[in-house]
Amino acid sequence: MTDREADLKIAMENSIGYDYNSGIHYYIFLLLTFSCYFTTACQLKPNYETTFPSKHFGEWQRYLGDPGRTHYSSLDQINRSNVNNLKVAWTYHSGNNNTEGYLQSSPLVIDEFLYSSSPHGKVFALNAATGEEIWSFNPFAGTDKTEITRGLNYWKEGEDKRILFTAGPYLYALDAETGELVNSFGKNGKVDLTQGLGRDITGLRYQNRSPGAVYEDLVILGSLNSESLPSAPGHIRAFDVRTGEQKWIFHTIPHPGEYGYDTWEDTTAYKFIGGANNWAGMALDEEKGIAYVPTGSAAYDYYGGNRKGKNLFANSLIALDAETGERLWHFQAVHHDLWDRDLPAPPTLVNVEREGEKIPAVAQITKSGHVYVFNRVSGDTLFPVVENPVPESDLQGEEAWPTQPFPLKPPPFTRQKMTEDDVNQYSRQKDSLLNVLKRLRSGRQFIPPSVKGTLLYPGKDGGGEWGGAAWDPESGLLYVNANEMPWIIKMKERETKQVQANELATMGKRIYQANCSSCHRMDRKGSNQSGGVPSLVGLGDRKTEKDIRRIVQNGPGSMPSFSFLSDNQIKAITTFLLGKGDKNIETDSTLKYNSAQLRYHTTDGGRFLDSDGYPAIEPPWGTLNAIDLNKGEIAWKVPLGEHKELTKRGIPKTGTENYGGPIVTAGGLVFIGATKDSYFRAFDKSTGEVIWKHKLPAPGMATPVTYEVKGKQYVVTAAGGGKVTEESGGAYVAFELPNEHFK
C-alpha cells in the first residue's frame, strides 16, 4: 500500500460527524483529541513539508501563492530594513473602469509572465518586470456583458502551457504564451458548465469568480449561484485539462443513497434546492491528493422553511479525493444556515506543532470570526469544538437547528456581539442608533432572522471574508484581516396573487421588494453612504429600459443575475424602477408572481450605519490579526485602515471596512491593501507595526502577489476599488527597490 493510499484509508476510517451537544461528549472528545495528536503526527511527519514553497521559490505559480493557499513567499530581498525605500516600478491600466464592478483579481507569475484579469473579465499577460502587455483575451467581446474574476489556473505539460479560467457559465483554456483559445479543449476552447449537473438550470445564474484548483490533469471547480430561489445546485466537479471532459462530480446536495441525504427533511430537495456551493475557492494537498472545499449556504439564505434539516453539505469544509471526488471527511460549521454564513475563503494548509512534532493541518476562517483547525487527513479538530444551544425561530414554517458548533480555541478574531454599551460613542446620532438597536433582536450569535428585525454581528460580509488568510511557516502565525460591521436582517411575509396587465407597475414593486430591497432598500436609496449599493432613485435619468433589462438579466459586478425572472416580470420591475405608467405596455393578459415556495423574504436592513455612513458599533471597524496556531492564541491585533477625517478630530485610528487579503514574506513583512482609504501597507509580521504605506489610485481590494525576475523582487497589487468605495479603476501597481539598492 502506498503512503497516499494509507493516508486515504486513515481518512475514510475516521470520517465522522460532529455533534458534541453534551458535557459527556465534550470530555470524551477532549480525551480522544489529545490522544490522537501524537499518533497522527508520527504517521504523517515524513512528508509534511512538501506542501510549502522552498527557499528558492521566486514565482507565484498558483492562486494565492501555492496549492495550500498560504499566501507565503520565501523571498526576502524586500524586508523590514529596506521596505521604506520601495518605489513604483510600473503601472498597468487594464481598462474597462465601471462603477458597477470592481477589481478583485490576484495574479499568477510564471516564466516572467504576469497573468491576471480586468474588472470586466478581460484576461491578459504582461511582462512581469515592465508591465508591458503581451496579449489579452476578452471572453465577452461583442457583448455588453462583464464579470469580475478573482484568479486564474495554470497547467503545463512539456511545451503545452495553458491558462484555465471561467467567465460566465463557461470554462476556457488559453495558450499561455499567445492568449489564443486551445481549440482541442471542449468546443472551440470552452466548456459549457451548465451541462453535466444532473439538473436543468436553464436561465439560472451559474458562474465562478474563484479559479478552483488544478490537480495533475484535472481542474476542480465550484460555482457562484443565486442566493435567492430558484437557484442552481453547487455541486463540485472536475474536468480534464486537455479535453474539457467532465471526470467526476460531488453532490453538495446529496442524491438518494448518498451520505448526507437524510439531513434534508424533504426527500426531493436534491431536485430543486440550490446553493451549497463553493464560491470562495479551495485548497489542495498535492502530495496526499486531497482537495479541501468550503461551501456556502443553501438557497434561500435567510429562510429555510422549504429545506428543513441540517442541510449537508452546505456551510461545510469537505475533504475530497482529488482524483475521484470521493468524500473523505467533512465538518459542517453552520447547521441549517439562516444568516448567510458561507465559509468565505479558501482554507489554508498549515503545520501545527504539538510537543515538538508537526501535524499537517488545514485552517478555515469564517464570517463569524472563528478559525477551525483540522488534521488534514483524519478531519479531527486540533482544538476543542462544542455544540451549544441557540435560539429558536419565530417565523412560521421555520425550524432553526437547536445547536451550533463553537471552537474554544483560538479565540474569535472579531467581537461576537453588539450590546447597547457598544454603540459608537463618536457618532453624532448615538441616541438614534441606540433606539434602533433596542428594537432589534440582538445580544449573541445565531439569533434567527425575524419580522421584528435581527442584528447580525459580525455582518453579512464577515468577520473573515474572501481575501483569505496568510500563514507564516517560520512563526506558525496565521494573518487574517477582518470586518467589524453590524448588519440588520428584517423579514417580511410575501404576498401572492394574480396580477392583471394593468397592474404591471404594482407587480414590479412586489418583485423589487422580494428580490432587490434587501440590498437597495425599500426606499431604493441603496447604501451610498458606505459606497456599497447604488441608489436607484431617479434611475430613469441615468439608464434606459434596455440598460435595466441587461443589468437585471446579467447581474454585473457583485450584483447577482435575476435571469430566472420571466420576460413579463422583468418588464414589470423595469416599469416600476423607471416610474412609468402601465397603460400602454404590451404584455400577457395575466401574470402570476412566483413566490418560489418561500413564505418570507428580507426587506430593508443592510449595514447598520449612522447618517454620516459610519458603523453603528464602536471602533475598530477593520483589523489585521496574527493568530498563533500552535498555542491557539491571538498574538496581536491592530486597526487596518483609517478615516482621516476622524483622526483629525482626535479619534484613535478606527480601521475601515476591507476586502482582499494579505501576503506574508520571509523578509518579515505582511503586505495588504483591502482598505477604503486606498493605502497599500507593509506591516512588521512580528509586531503588527505599519512600517510602510503607499497611496494607490483606487483601493486595493484584492490579494497582492510578490515574485522575482532577474534577481529583483517585485510586489504587485490590483487597485480597483468598488463595492464599498466610490472610487473604481482597473490599475495594477508594481513596487520595487531602487536600482541603487543593488550597487
Side-chain angles (χ1 to χ4, degrees):
M1 180 180 292
T2 66
D3 288 344
R4 179 173 179 276
E5 289 171 339
D7 289 341
L8 297 185
K9 182 176 183 290
I10 293 170
M12 291 301 294
E13 290 173 348
N14 289 278
S15 183
I16 59 175
Y18 293 81
D19 285 314
Y20 309 112
N21 48 19
S22 75
I24 294 174
H25 289 159
Y26 168 58
Y27 286 112
I28 292 174
F29 161 72
L30 286 179
L31 290 171
L32 291 174
T33 299
F34 286 103
S35 69
C36 76
Y37 282 159
F38 311 115
T39 303
T40 305
C42 293
Q43 289 172 335
L44 302 178
K45 186 184 176 187
N47 58 16
Y48 79 87
E49 293 179 332
T50 59
T51 301
F52 306 107
S54 71
K55 180 67 179 174
H56 305 291
F57 174 70
E59 296 183 328
W60 199 263
Q61 298 182 345
R62 302 290 189 94
Y63 179 57
L64 304 180
D66 54 52
R69 310 312 187 212
T70 65
H71 304 218
Y72 173 78
S73 172
S74 60
L75 297 178
D76 58 6
Q77 183 182 97
I78 299 171
N79 54 57
R80 294 183 183 95
S81 67
N82 59 30
V83 68
N84 268 317
N85 297 318
L86 283 184
K87 66 182 184 70
V88 174
W90 53 260
T91 300
Y92 171 75
H93 294 280
S94 63
N96 296 325
N97 296 354
N98 190 317
T99 57
E100 292 175 352
Y102 71 108
L103 187 56
Q104 301 179 347
S105 191
S106 183
L108 304 179
V109 182
I110 303 151
D111 296 334
E112 301 184 12
F113 283 55
L114 183 146
Y115 301 96
S116 201
S117 63
S118 76
H120 283 189
K122 179 185 77 174
V123 176
F124 55 80
L126 308 180
N127 181 312
T130 67
E132 178 186 2
E133 184 177 293
I134 297 169
W135 58 255
S136 67
F137 173 82
N138 185 0
F140 303 118
T143 74
D144 56 4
K145 183 172 175 57
T146 63
E147 187 179 298
I148 53 178
T149 301
R150 292 194 179 125
L152 312 170
N153 278 310
Y154 177 81
W155 175 83
K156 174 184 176 181
E157 183 179 68
E159 296 303 311
D160 188 356
K161 304 173 184 177
R162 301 185 182 188
I163 295 294
L164 298 118
F165 69 98
T166 58
Y170 296 101
L171 169 65
Y172 289 83
L174 302 179
D175 184 302
E177 295 188 345
T178 67
E180 297 176 352
L181 287 166
V182 179
N183 288 323
S184 60
F185 181 82
K187 185 176 181 180
N188 300 321
K190 65 181 182 180
V191 172
D192 185 349
L193 296 175
T194 66
Q195 305 301 307
L197 287 166
R199 233 165 84 184
D200 182 5
I201 63 167
T202 302
L204 301 183
R205 183 188 194 190
Y206 196 88
Q207 59 191 101
N208 195 10
R209 289 178 184 164
S210 297
V214 168
Y215 172 70
E216 296 184 347
D217 295 339
L218 299 174
V219 55
I220 306 170
L221 296 177
S223 60
L224 179 64
N225 308 343
S226 174
E227 297 185 357
S228 299
L229 286 177
S231 175
H235 304 325
I236 313 303
R237 292 183 289 172
F239 299 85
D240 189 301
V241 295
R242 296 185 182 85
T243 66
E245 178 188 0
Q246 182 171 313
K247 305 300 287 188
W248 58 255
I249 183 169
F250 174 81
H251 296 130
T252 60
I253 303 169
H255 287 206
E258 295 178 339
Y259 187 99
Y261 174 70
D262 58 356
T263 66
W264 301 80
E265 185 175 302
D266 188 332
T267 59
T268 65
Y270 70 99
K271 294 183 179 180
F272 67 91
I273 291 292
N277 53 312
N278 169 248
W279 60 263
M282 60 187 72
L284 183 68
D285 186 326
E286 291 187 314
E287 178 73 21
K288 303 183 188 310
I290 302 176
Y292 300 92
V293 184
T295 60
S297 60
Y300 173 59
D301 279 340
Y302 304 108
Y303 180 76
N306 65 332
R307 53 174 176 87
K308 295 176 182 178
K310 241 181 180 182
N311 300 161
L312 286 178
F313 290 93
N315 306 89
S316 299
L317 179 62
I318 315 165
L320 299 177
D321 185 320
E323 185 177 342
T324 66
E326 181 182 11
R327 181 189 67 90
L328 305 176
W329 58 263
H330 75 277
F331 176 86
Q332 189 176 50
V334 182
H335 313 313
H336 189 76
D337 186 11
L338 302 174
W339 306 270
D340 192 18
R341 285 296 195 220
D342 304 342
L343 293 182
T348 310
L349 300 195
V350 302
N351 294 317
V352 175
E353 289 191 6
R354 300 286 190 197
E355 300 292 333
E357 301 290 346
K358 292 191 176 182
I359 302 174
V362 54
Q364 177 68 60
I365 67 169
T366 70
K367 287 186 180 181
S368 62
H370 294 97
V371 181
Y372 289 95
V373 187
F374 306 95
N375 181 298
R376 247 184 262 170
V377 174
S378 68
D380 294 330
T381 55
L382 298 189
F383 296 102
V385 176
V386 295
E387 288 275 341
N388 287 334
V390 294
E392 297 180 352
S393 173
D394 61 359
L395 297 182
Q396 295 185 48
E398 181 60 271
E399 293 182 13
W401 199 259
T403 64
Q404 295 291 348
F406 291 82
L408 300 187
K409 293 183 74 174
F413 55 85
T414 61
R415 290 166 284 182
Q416 293 296 288
K417 62 182 180 179
M418 177 181 176
T419 67
E420 295 178 12
D421 293 335
D422 299 314
V423 172
N424 182 4
Q425 64 173 310
Y426 304 112
S427 174
R428 294 180 297 184
Q429 298 90 39
K430 181 178 179 181
D431 289 343
S432 63
L433 295 175
L434 186 58
N435 289 333
V436 172
L437 181 60
K438 288 178 178 178
R439 293 195 297 268
L440 299 173
R441 300 181 71 192
S442 64
R444 60 165 299 171
Q445 290 286 310
F446 296 113
I447 298 176
S450 64
V451 173
K452 177 181 178 181
T454 299
L455 184 78
L456 182 65
Y457 188 83
K460 179 179 174 182
D461 289 349
E465 39 81 22
W466 58 263
W471 183 70
D472 180 20
E474 299 172 21
S475 64
L477 295 181
L478 188 78
Y479 301 92
V480 187
N481 54 304
N483 287 316
E484 298 262 2
M485 176 69 74
W487 284 59
I488 296 172
I489 304 174
K490 191 170 184 180
M491 307 301 288
K492 183 177 180 179
E493 194 162 7
R494 293 177 183 266
E495 297 179 22
T496 315
K497 62 174 288 186
Q498 291 293 118
V499 183
Q500 302 302 316
N502 62 4
E503 296 176 330
L504 195 63
T506 302
M507 175 190 176
K509 182 177 181 179
R510 290 195 181 96
I511 297 172
Y512 174 87
Q513 291 172 342
N515 296 281
C516 313
S517 62
S518 60
C519 292
H520 293 279
R521 301 178 23 156
M522 292 289 285
D523 59 11
R524 293 179 287 159
K525 291 183 179 180
S527 56
N528 273 349
Q529 291 171 337
S530 65
V533 180
S535 170
L536 301 181
V537 176
L539 188 63
D541 297 333
R542 309 188 300 274
K543 301 288 184 182
T544 66
E545 184 173 348
K546 181 179 179 181
D547 291 335
I548 297 175
R549 174 175 287 273
R550 173 182 60 80
I551 291 169
V552 172
Q553 288 180 323
N554 295 336
S558 59
M559 172 183 164
S561 166
F562 291 94
S563 58
F564 60 84
L565 295 175
S566 70
D567 287 342
N568 285 327
Q569 289 172 322
I570 293 176
K571 186 175 290 187
I573 197 171
T574 302
T575 302
F576 167 68
L577 292 173
L578 291 175
K580 293 182 177 181
D582 55 3
K583 292 182 179 179
N584 299 317
I585 296 175
E586 295 182 4
T587 184
D588 292 346
S589 59
T590 308
L591 299 168
K592 186 173 183 179
Y593 173 62
N594 179 11
S595 63
Q597 302 179 359
L598 295 180
R599 187 164 185 167
Y600 295 88
H601 64 93
T602 53
T603 177
D604 290 321
R607 291 174 176 83
F608 186 14
L609 307 170
D610 67 16
S611 61
D612 294 321
Y614 300 118
I617 195 170
E618 191 87 336
W621 301 322
T623 62
L624 181 63
N625 305 269
I627 303 170
D628 189 325
L629 292 185
N630 297 322
K631 298 178 181 178
E633 301 172 354
I634 294 180
W636 52 257
K637 176 192 291 283
V638 295
L640 178 61
E642 181 179 7
H643 290 277
K644 284 194 172 180
E645 70 278 11
L646 298 182
T647 306
K648 289 178 181 177
R649 287 170 47 189
I651 299 172
K653 288 184 180 179
T654 61
T656 76
E657 195 170 3
N658 54 89
Y659 295 89
I663 61 171
V664 60
T665 75
L669 302 171
V670 175
F671 286 99
I672 187 170
T675 55
K676 294 174 66 174
D677 60 16
S678 297
Y679 276 100
F680 186 50
R681 293 175 168 87
F683 292 79
D684 184 311
K685 72 180 184 181
S686 298
T687 66
E689 178 188 1
V690 177
I691 52 180
W692 172 83
K693 66 179 182 178
H694 180 90
K695 187 82 168 182
L696 298 170
M701 294 187 170
T703 302
V705 303
T706 188
Y707 56 90
E708 184 180 85
V709 176
K710 294 182 171 60
K712 178 177 282 193
Q713 183 181 355
Y714 297 83
V715 180
V716 174
T717 189
K723 189 172 176 72
V724 293
T725 67
E726 294 183 0
E727 306 100 317
S728 65
Y732 285 81
V733 184
F735 298 91
E736 64 179 357
L737 292 171
N739 289 331
E740 52 263 32
H741 175 82
F742 300 95
K743 293 181 181 179

